Amino acid sequence: MISTEKFFQIAQDLEIYHGIFSRIWQMGKPIADTTIPTAAVRFDREGGFFSFCFNPDFYKSLNDYNLKFIICHEALHIILNHGIRGYGLEPELANKTMDIVINESLVSNFGFDRNLITNEKELCWYNTVFPNEPDIEKDKCFEHYYD
């Protein structure tokens, strides 16, 4: 799916956002997966190996900037231990609330520009998921939003 040269170029490029993204990318394996609409990260049964899964059509639609955003997004799911923390929760709601935290963090903490994200309006953000709910605090963990 991704040439070795492209794989290592992505790893090098991810360094500008944070070295941890580069390391996690290098620990995983990118694979094509037509069963998902966009992208995901999956662990093996033992939890020791993971794959960055991309729908091939979605992957082809991404420019380099958006690809790096998606990789960092999936890496934050790993860093924030969302797989275990979300265990037993309603999957769609849990993923949506996790995505709020991740997307907001990538912009506010890691230097991504929301205006440069191609499908920005389709993603989960604090102001798109909770547009008319001023009582819900911003910059909280996903469990806060899930509850």
Side-chain angles (χ1 to χ4, degrees):
M1 180 173 163
I2 296 176
S3 71
T4 302
E5 182 180 326
K6 175 81 172 173
F7 179 84
F8 287 112
Q9 182 62 54
I10 291 169
Q12 184 177 6
D13 292 348
L14 291 173
E15 291 276 346
I16 66 170
Y17 300 105
H18 196 286
I20 193 70
F21 295 130
S22 176
R23 302 308 277 159
I24 289 175
W25 173 248
Q26 291 177 63
M27 292 169 56
K29 175 184 175 187
I31 62 169
D33 186 340
T34 58
T35 67
I36 58 173
T38 56
V41 66
R42 291 209 180 103
F43 288 88
D44 66 6
R45 292 180 194 257
E46 294 77 38
F49 177 78
F50 56 89
S51 300
F52 286 92
C53 306
F54 294 95
N55 176 294
D57 293 330
F58 177 70
Y59 177 82
K60 289 177 199 168
S61 75
L62 299 171
N63 63 26
D64 282 346
Y65 188 82
N66 285 269
L67 176 61
K68 291 172 210 162
F69 180 84
I70 296 297
I71 292 168
C72 292
H73 174 102
E74 297 303 332
L76 277 179
H77 277 299
I78 296 166
I79 292 166
L80 297 172
N81 205 23
H82 281 169
I84 297 207
R85 290 170 63 198
Y87 185 78
L89 300 178
E90 194 281 307
E92 189 174 326
L93 179 58
N95 190 62
K96 185 180 274 192
T97 56
M98 290 172 186
D99 284 355
I100 294 168
V101 173
I102 287 172
N103 293 338
E104 295 287 350
S105 182
L106 287 171
V107 170
S108 64
N109 300 319
F110 296 102
F112 280 95
D113 183 339
R114 183 172 169 175
N115 296 314
L116 297 178
I117 300 165
T118 306
N119 61 340
E120 175 268 335
K121 290 183 171 127
E122 300 167 24
L123 302 179
C124 296
W125 304 90
Y126 173 81
N127 70 319
T128 60
V129 176
F130 304 114
N132 300 313
E133 300 186 45
D135 293 340
I136 297 178
E137 296 176 68
K138 192 174 179 181
D139 299 324
K140 296 292 183 181
C141 65
F142 93 85
E143 292 92 346
H144 173 83
Y145 299 128
Y146 184 90
D147 289 341

